[in-house]
Amino acid sequence: MSRGLRSPFVALGLAVALAVTAGCVGEAPSGGAASGDTIKVGVLHSLSGTMAISEVTVRDAELLAIEEINAAGGVLGKKLEPVVEDGASDWPTFAEKAQKLISQDRVATVFGGWTSASRKAMLPVFERNRALLWYPVQYEGLESSPYIFYTGATTNQQIVPGLDYLREQGKKKVFLVGSDYVFPRTANKIIKAYAAANGMEIVGEEYTPLGHTEYSTVVNKLGQARPDAVFNTLNGDSNVAFFKALRGAGITADAMPTVSVSVAEEEVAGIGPDNIAGHLVAWNYYQTTPGAANQTFVAAFKARYGANKVTSDPMEAGYNAVKLWAAAVAKAGTTETEAVKAAAKGIALDLPEGTVTIDGENQHVFKTARIGLVQPDGQIREVWNSGQPIKPDPYLKGYSWATGLS
Amino acid sequence: MAILNQLFIGASMGAVLLLIALGLTFTFGQMGVINMAHGEFIMIGAYTAYVLQGVGLLVALPVAFLIAGALGVVLERLLIRRFYGRALDTLLLTFGVSLILQQLARDIFGAPNVGVTAPAWLTGGVGPLPYSRIFILVLALACVAAIAVYLTRMRQGRRMRAVMQNRQLAAVSGVATERVDQLTFLLGSGLAGVAGVALTLIGPVGPSLGTYYIVDAFLIVVAGGLGRLGGAVIAAFALGVLNSFVEFWTDASLAKVVVFAVIVAFLQIRPQGLFVLRTRALT
């Protein structure tokens, strides 16, 4: 047996490759060109693979928005017809499916993406085809494409307010923990520049591979460094293991609070509220955000998908994207890309997080920053907000300490 | 103090690695079946703990052993026994089974991960050493002890070793080898179930839980020497401690690279692993 070992591992690689390609086929193309009485729109998220956990909920929120628009009579007198595609947590697949939606299904616009890698893969496709993508997740900034609308937060609407909050609380020594890919590394670059200019000290910086579950050593290093706070940019499942390890080592939120930027209501449920209660998160929307628009949104989502479902920031941003696009089309009187872009400038809608305005300069939206405290029941209670929506500044031009980052 | 901490962390990582590799030592190491579904048996164990979390962890352990073990026997009876001696075919076969099991889990429990709340008696710890980690360490050692007793002291265990060393000779000596094969799968898959219960104390429970651990499990079994219990124990703890110290001085990504490099280098020097099974069988 031992002599033949090499070939089993070659075959193992082969098997994995097979499985990956198998995931790319399937999904027969639906319909032909746009028919007269409907407008096709693309919905492109990972419905399989490691990102499915998060992206399926955003798809659900976008489909809800489409159903609501149709129930109210549609756009330009036509019903919206969603064409749902699976990006399969695989960046080339996102690019392929985006191209397919544009050229084969001839959709008017596409709502989709979650990871920065998927957005970066789709960006050239939309620019080449002069088509529109609505991207609904907070990201690391330093980007602005004329063919993408960004309805999630950029750094000055989430990370910078999170740091401001820590500074106000007198936290001077900060430890950075993140997953090893583009978002955490860029975010931490920004955090380090902020810290240097604002008298904060970064006492440690740790990256772990995506999907990593062994956090004892990181927690041991935290114990050694004794920071005032931890800035957490871990993504996905790793958060579960991280917070369990933190609690297992007896480190409480009182002694060492963490601020997470990728943990929302959906993730809190997976982590187990008792493991993360008392820790902080930074977003622009919570299920508990006050206002009639949000109450309607939460009620509609639960009625559509089940009473035990929660809503979260990326879901709300996906829902908003559909509503904002529809408003822009109604204003433009056409779904033609350049006309919609021109019309979108300055559109303001009353959405679950409050009034959301599209910034004509960079196609991001004004968002209110909100710091929340995780409650034992899994909900998030807001402890601070910026009072008014913050103008998006993806390149952090308004901050002197950020010169040289982009 | 930090060094002692790290030593304990290494040992507790080693215990996790050992638990996930123990079952594979038998199904892969002994029977030559490249069981890609081993990770999914771990997942089944973890979901068992999730379903039984009101009842208690100590009940979940034997139940997970039985459920995963029974599934292992079913898999062996229905499919694997038609593929003995064709290691590569078992790889493709069990890879397919693993995909089916993952999809089943997704259909039953949903795609999002679920969490298992650790029982009250496992929350907290002695200083920086969490009780849950100590529990996993004790559990791994208890499993090793139980297997050692089974293999050396009990009739069924001795038969298992006989089949392992020389199948034909064991068969002509009156050992019902087919029955032994079934028992081996019961044991190997059952241990994966036990490992799954332990993993719920560390991280999330999801359909793809097993895929995170399957490569590590194979590494331990190969580095330890196929089918060698002692080899698996040493390899698991050595890798755990190595990983924890490299990670302490560098970072998690680099630690993984270093561990892989060390194993590759080690297998260049000793392709047969730490220990070799001596056999007179004509294979």
Side-chain angles (χ1 to χ4, degrees):
Chain A
M1 211 19 240
S2 56
R3 285 194 56 80
L5 260 180
R6 200 161 306 192
S7 51
F9 284 104
V10 172
L12 199 148
L14 207 138
V16 172
L18 263 176
V20 171
T21 31
C24 299
V25 221
E27 298 264 354
S30 51
S35 58
D37 46 355
T38 62
I39 298 173
K40 282 189 180 173
V41 293
V43 174
L44 174 51
H45 286 287
S46 298
L47 310 180
S48 59
T50 179
M51 291 307 300
I53 291 163
S54 302
E55 289 191 60
V56 164
T57 64
V58 180
R59 176 204 61 182
D60 291 346
E62 287 166 356
L63 291 179
L64 174 69
I66 290 171
E67 284 167 20
E68 286 180 4
I69 289 168
N70 284 343
V75 179
L76 305 177
K78 294 176 183 179
K79 291 277 161 71
L80 300 181
E81 183 189 338
V83 183
V84 180
E85 284 289 352
D86 180 6
S89 308
D90 178 54
W91 328 136
T93 305
F94 267 95
E96 259 169 51
K97 293 290 170 83
Q99 182 64 50
K100 181 230 162 210
L101 285 169
I102 297 165
S103 52
Q104 198 175 321
D105 298 312
R106 300 184 181 283
V107 295
T109 189
V110 175
F111 306 97
W114 177 296
T115 65
S116 292
S118 71
R119 186 189 68 254
K120 295 271 187 209
M122 291 188 285
L123 186 145
V125 177
F126 284 93
E127 292 191 343
R128 194 168 60 232
N129 291 283
R130 297 175 181 280
L132 280 186
L133 170 69
W134 294 74
Y135 173 73
V137 184
Q138 54 90 355
Y139 79 116
E140 70 279 3
L142 309 182
E143 182 183 299
S144 179
S145 164
Y147 292 96
I148 300 180
F149 280 89
Y150 303 79
T151 59
T154 184
T155 42
N156 78 310
Q157 298 165 322
Q158 184 190 29
I159 289 173
V160 175
L163 291 166
D164 286 341
Y165 181 78
L166 285 183
R167 204 156 51 93
E168 275 172 31
Q169 302 291 308
K171 311 287 183 197
K172 289 220 170 307
K173 289 161 71 182
V174 178
F175 198 111
L176 309 178
V177 178
S179 297
D180 205 352
Y181 77 108
V182 55
F183 168 69
R185 285 202 179 259
T186 312
N188 286 345
K189 213 166 71 181
I190 292 167
I191 293 170
K192 281 187 278 185
Y194 176 97
N198 289 289
M200 270 182 172
E201 190 192 348
I202 302 299
V203 293
E205 185 176 3
E206 285 292 318
Y207 296 98
T208 60
L210 274 171
H212 193 67
T213 54
E214 192 53 76
Y215 281 92
S216 308
T217 303
V218 171
V219 168
N220 193 19
K221 286 184 187 180
L222 282 173
Q224 299 296 312
R226 300 208 164 278
D228 300 332
V230 179
F231 207 98
N232 169 27
T233 46
L234 290 174
N235 244 42
D237 298 348
S238 296
N239 280 302
V240 183
F242 174 63
F243 283 104
K244 277 194 175 177
L246 211 55
R247 186 160 178 251
I251 299 178
T252 61
D254 293 334
M256 200 185 285
T258 68
V259 182
S260 306
V261 289
S262 296
V263 173
E265 286 86 342
E266 187 76 22
E267 287 77 19
V268 167
I271 292 168
D274 45 336
N275 288 320
I276 192 181
H279 286 282
L280 296 162
V281 294
W283 290 100
N284 310 98
Y285 165 89
Y286 303 113
Q287 185 173 318
T288 55
T289 297
N294 186 36
Q295 279 172 10
T296 316
F297 171 59
V298 173
F301 195 84
K302 284 179 183 286
R304 177 72 177 78
Y305 296 108
N308 58 345
K309 297 283 192 228
V310 291
T311 59
S312 69
D313 182 293
M315 292 158 68
E316 190 251 5
Y319 176 87
N320 291 355
V322 177
K323 295 284 171 104
L324 288 167
W325 169 80
V329 169
K331 190 173 154 196
T334 167
T335 59
E336 196 271 319
T337 301
E338 295 302 329
V340 172
K341 278 174 56 177
K345 190 172 181 167
I347 280 186
L349 291 184
D350 193 20
L351 291 165
E353 70 182 74
T355 303
V356 174
T357 314
I358 298 178
D359 187 338
E361 281 173 38
N362 51 32
Q363 302 191 152
H364 289 59
V365 297
F366 285 72
K367 289 177 93 75
T368 304
R370 295 185 160 93
I371 309 294
L373 196 64
V374 180
Q375 303 296 300
D377 67 351
Q379 286 296 320
I380 297 169
R381 180 168 62 84
E382 186 181 303
V383 291
W384 177 89
N385 70 54
S386 59
Q388 59 189 9
I390 302 171
K391 182 180 163 63
D393 184 4
Y395 291 96
L396 295 168
K397 288 195 182 106
Y399 302 87
S400 54
W401 50 264
T403 46
L405 277 177
S406 49
Chain B
M1 193 56 210
I3 300 293
L4 277 179
N5 257 351
Q6 217 47 40
L7 199 64
F8 171 77
I9 290 168
S12 88
M13 279 175 83
V16 173
L17 292 172
L18 182 58
L19 271 178
I20 60 172
L22 266 184
L24 211 59
T25 313
F26 297 109
T27 53
F28 177 45
Q30 177 193 330
M31 308 190 61
V33 172
I34 302 181
N35 185 10
M36 296 294 288
H38 188 75
E40 278 57 45
F41 290 135
I42 294 174
M43 169 197 78
I44 286 164
Y47 273 116
T48 308
Y50 169 68
V51 172
L52 293 178
Q53 65 176 326
V55 189
L57 194 71
L58 293 180
V59 181
L61 283 170
V63 175
F65 180 89
L66 289 177
I67 292 177
L71 269 164
V73 171
V74 169
L75 181 68
E76 198 272 340
R77 282 291 88 183
L78 285 180
L79 295 168
I80 289 175
R81 72 180 171 132
R82 300 163 211 274
F83 290 85
Y84 281 131
R86 294 155 62 185
L88 283 181
D89 295 345
T90 62
L91 183 151
L92 290 176
L93 173 79
T94 53
F95 185 66
V97 171
S98 81
L99 291 180
I100 292 169
L101 289 176
Q102 280 183 36
Q103 198 53 47
L104 264 178
R106 229 168 255 133
D107 290 343
I108 298 172
F109 298 101
N113 290 340
V114 295
V116 177
T117 314
W121 52 275
L122 277 182
T123 44
V126 200
L129 317 181
Y131 287 137
S132 56
R133 288 304 190 135
I134 299 172
F135 176 78
I136 292 175
L137 197 58
V138 173
L139 179 66
L141 294 176
C143 285
V144 171
I147 294 164
V149 169
Y150 177 75
L151 286 180
T152 54
R153 298 270 179 274
M154 290 169 78
R155 177 173 298 199
Q156 285 300 344
R158 286 206 293 267
R159 283 184 183 150
M160 206 167 127
R161 280 197 308 166
V163 173
M164 203 150 119
Q165 288 176 13
N166 193 329
R167 179 172 288 267
Q168 284 91 347
L169 192 57
V172 296
S173 313
V175 175
T177 54
E178 284 211 0
R179 227 187 115 60
V180 172
D181 290 343
Q182 282 177 51
L183 267 173
T184 307
F185 258 85
L186 177 75
L187 189 64
S189 311
L191 284 168
V194 170
V197 176
L199 287 180
T200 62
L201 295 171
I202 300 174
V205 179
S208 57
L209 170 72
T211 53
Y212 292 137
Y213 292 101
I214 187 80
V215 175
D216 287 343
F218 275 106
L219 283 183
I220 304 289
V221 176
V222 173
L226 300 175
R228 304 301 292 172
L229 185 61
V233 174
I234 294 173
F237 281 107
L239 289 187
V241 171
L242 175 70
N243 195 320
S244 97
F245 276 99
V246 178
E247 189 184 338
F248 186 69
W249 284 309
T250 59
D251 62 61
S253 307
L254 202 61
K256 266 199 150 52
V257 174
V258 170
V259 167
F260 266 97
V262 167
I263 290 179
V264 169
F266 173 74
L267 289 177
Q268 290 299 315
I269 303 162
R270 246 189 111 76
Q272 68 276 39
L274 273 175
F275 296 109
V276 189
L277 184 64
R278 286 191 186 79
T279 168
R280 291 187 178 175
L282 305 168
T283 49

